[in-house]
Amino acid sequence: MMKTQFDSLRNALHDQGLDGFIQPRNDEFLGEYVPESASRLAWLTGFTGSAGLAIVLADRAAVFSDGRYTLQLAEQTDPATWERRHIVETPPVEWLKSAALGARIGYDPWLMTANAVATYADAGFTMVPVDNPIDKLWADRPAPPASPALAHPPEFAGESAESKRSRIAEAIARDGADAVMLTDPHAVAWLFNLRGADLPHTPIVLCFALLRRDGSAIIFIDPARVPPATRAHLGAGVEIVPRAAMERSLATLRGKRVLLDPATAPIRFSQLLGDAGAITVSGGDPCVLPRAIKNPTEQEGARAAHRRDGVALCRFLAWFAEASPAGGQTERSAAAQLFAFRSTAPEFHGESFPAISGAGEHGAIIHYSVTAASDRPIRHDEVYLIDSGGQYPDGTTDVTRTLWTGPGEPPPTLRDRFTRVLAGHIALARARFPQGTSGPQLDALARAPLWDAGLDFDHGTGHGVGSYLSVHEGPASFHRLAKPIPLAPGMILSDEPGYYEPGGYGIRLENLLLVVPSPVGAAKPFLEFEPLTLAPFDRRLIDPTLLGPAARAWLDAYHARVLTMIGPHLDGAARTWLEAACAPLQEVN
């Protein structure tokens, strides 16, 4: 944004009697990804990361994000305009306390939850809901997405939308509510078995919905976006109402108890329901946990998607092993080659997120996004990190491998760091634990080998993954600060510890894990993980002396499984490479 636009924003705030304004990264759907038409934070600051917010005051301005984006903030924002802050080390409310006591701070009620607004309460300044001033200043704002809402077939969903509506309606009734307001498009997609293309990497339509305790529902979306086949799929119990008529529909809820999640719903919905005379009942989104627990059809779909994805990934790894020593590749060309391998599968529906293709120092930027300007050659004898995934109608993939380019041998310190990350990955992957265990209780397993050397990484160890939905899904995760949601059979989570040397290199090793019942456990049920991802780890970077017998046995068994499941789909040089890459560790070291 040019300085004149920044000045215009400050003038607009002054005209509204405001001393400042908070602009989060998200849109009104409060998801991780936003369409170009809602990328207000990027328009304002230049920062394009997937988490953060900005605060503009009359004489100061700051932009906040987490440890994944420390380096990206420094690269994308102007230090003459923006203070860069770590959102955990310097929470926005604390920054405001020091910078704006007694001030009137504006916020867009469509972009903040009730819980988020509450964090600013009693902090010495006044929070004021306003129409977003950026919307009037953004002259070349793109049009919002308008993809058609399409049915997700039962052979992939594993349960009809009518069945899902019935069991979620029963949950609403048990909570003593008459209806639930669904403000997360992922919940709408799962509940109604709908998919779309409103976002580049997540197959959803951006819309809201209301589900009543009798199983009937309203989806708030432009009717022109719902083709006849989709209307037939939804059935007579689902009404389609334009977003512009949503307030009129909510007026029918007068005196009704409506469930609303204060942690995920824009606070504007609390205001709308209050204006309608409804009684708001605070409670979690009832679709979150059922969506996370994949049914047997979705589990089999995930296995099939990962076999398909593994073939493409192993072809890429074989290609890279030959191409990288020869030179001539860049971050963008390597990512394009992996995309090309994935694209040969007819079921491939695009990447599940923009590939993180980082060579050398760029690998240390945890969520690095290569551009034409930042693209750099992949050089000899350095580390290359590729974090990518695919969307298939039967599953979503997410995998990271860290590779040595050769032709020389990697230095001992690098092998030490890589092997500690691998040891942590294996420790989590082979864990067995009693039912009721949560992700935060297991997070330390992946960090312990790094902690032994006084090292760590500044991101969570793993996140949930959807079924042909978002690559980042709740409620469970491996993170020391996460809510203790018990892991349950059918959940899919990533296992991705890392190590990052700023200005040097990055290491991250990621597989997706399916939670399954364990054969052990006499007194109570136990659970364990089934690795879904099928691709070898770069053994040139492994120091076997840092892996204990159990870890080595796991790695050999994993590589043998990769060879068994992927090998028959490869031939020629790729098959020869895979056989060597998956050989037992002691045969190569």
Side-chain angles (χ1 to χ4, degrees), residues 152-161 164 167 186 189-195 287-308 392-397 465-469 473 489-492 512 514-515 530 532:
H152 187 50
E155 59 263 35
F156 300 131
E159 183 182 6
S160 71
K164 291 179 179 179
R167 66 184 174 107
H186 302 87
W190 175 84
L191 181 65
F192 296 96
N193 286 343
L194 294 176
R195 298 296 188 269
C287 296
V288 169
L289 188 58
R291 184 171 82 243
I293 299 174
K294 277 60 179 178
N295 61 46
T297 298
E298 292 172 317
Q299 293 178 40
E300 281 303 312
R303 294 184 181 101
H306 279 85
R307 287 193 296 270
R308 200 179 300 122
Y392 304 90
D394 46 3
T396 300
T397 71
V465 177
S467 180
Y468 190 43
L469 274 174
E473 180 178 272
M491 288 182 172
I492 296 175
L512 297 193
L514 173 65
V515 182
E530 173 191 331
L532 294 172

Side-chain angles (χ1 to χ4, degrees), residues 68-439:
R68 296 171 297 172
Y69 295 111
T70 302
L71 298 179
Q72 189 172 336
L73 271 180
E75 288 187 352
Q76 292 185 327
T77 59
D78 180 3
T81 302
W82 298 101
E83 301 175 27
R84 291 82 162 253
R85 301 294 184 181
H86 192 295
I87 201 165
V88 176
E89 296 172 359
T90 308
V93 64
E94 298 301 324
W95 186 87
L96 274 171
K97 281 182 181 179
S98 66
L101 282 179
R104 287 170 50 83
I105 306 298
Y107 72 94
D108 184 339
W110 280 110
L111 306 185
M112 295 182 70
T113 67
N115 284 3
V117 174
T119 63
Y120 295 91
D122 303 320
F125 46 86
T126 302
M127 294 286 286
V128 183
V130 296
D131 291 337
N132 200 307
I134 290 175
D135 295 349
K136 293 182 178 179
L137 300 173
W138 193 354
D140 57 349
R141 185 178 180 183
S147 71
L150 303 176
H152 187 50
E155 59 263 35
F156 300 131
E159 183 182 6
S160 71
E162 185 178 7
S163 171
K164 291 179 179 179
R165 296 204 323 266
S166 177
R167 66 184 174 107
I168 299 302
E170 290 176 2
I172 296 169
R174 285 195 301 270
D175 287 340
D178 297 295
V180 60
M181 194 75 218
L182 298 174
T183 64
D184 180 358
H186 302 87
V188 179
W190 175 84
L191 181 65
F192 296 96
N193 286 343
L194 294 176
R195 298 296 188 269
D198 279 3
L199 297 177
H201 307 287
T202 305
I204 59 173
V205 284
L206 296 172
C207 60
F208 303 117
L210 180 80
L211 176 68
R212 304 182 186 93
R213 65 186 294 162
D214 64 0
S216 65
I218 304 173
I219 300 177
F220 297 103
I221 188 172
D222 180 358
R225 300 180 60 191
V226 186
T230 304
R231 285 182 180 267
H233 156 79
L234 292 170
V238 180
E239 185 182 0
I240 304 299
V241 172
R243 169 92 175 266
M246 184 168 64
E247 291 186 37
R248 188 164 62 250
S249 291
L250 295 184
T252 63
L253 298 172
R254 178 169 297 277
K256 302 292 187 181
R257 295 170 58 84
V258 181
L259 189 65
L260 187 69
D261 188 347
T264 62
I267 194 173
R268 179 63 178 141
F269 276 104
S270 299
Q271 299 165 352
L272 289 174
L273 290 170
D275 293 343
I279 303 165
T280 301
V281 180
S282 294
D285 182 337
C287 296
V288 169
L289 188 58
R291 184 171 82 243
I293 299 174
K294 277 60 179 178
N295 61 46
T297 298
E298 292 172 317
Q299 293 178 40
E300 281 303 312
R303 294 184 181 101
H306 279 85
R307 287 193 296 270
R308 200 179 300 122
D309 203 63
V311 172
L313 187 58
C314 288
R315 284 177 176 155
F316 167 80
L317 294 174
W319 167 84
F320 188 84
E322 181 178 353
S324 61
Q329 299 301 321
T330 72
E331 294 168 332
R332 295 182 81 191
S333 71
Q337 186 63 56
L338 177 52
F339 183 89
F341 281 124
R342 281 195 170 108
S343 297
T344 61
E347 303 89 346
F348 180 63
H349 285 194
E351 294 177 301
S352 55
F353 58 97
I356 299 170
S357 176
E361 71 282 359
H362 285 169
I365 304 173
I366 297 171
H367 273 199
Y368 171 67
S369 180
V370 61
T371 64
S374 71
D375 188 27
R376 88 188 230 345
I378 300 175
R379 304 186 181 100
H380 291 158
D381 295 331
E382 70 175 1
V383 171
Y384 171 65
L385 185 153
I386 178 70
D387 184 348
S388 68
Q391 290 285 11
Y392 304 90
D394 46 3
T396 300
T397 71
D398 182 4
V399 51
T400 310
R401 290 296 181 265
T402 302
L403 309 172
W404 177 248
T405 61
E409 292 297 314
T413 300
L414 176 61
R415 295 182 79 208
D416 175 275
R417 303 301 189 255
F418 180 94
T419 309
R420 290 181 185 278
V421 173
L422 177 60
H425 174 98
I426 293 172
L428 180 56
R430 60 183 296 270
R432 283 177 172 154
F433 46 93
Q435 194 165 314
T437 301
S438 63

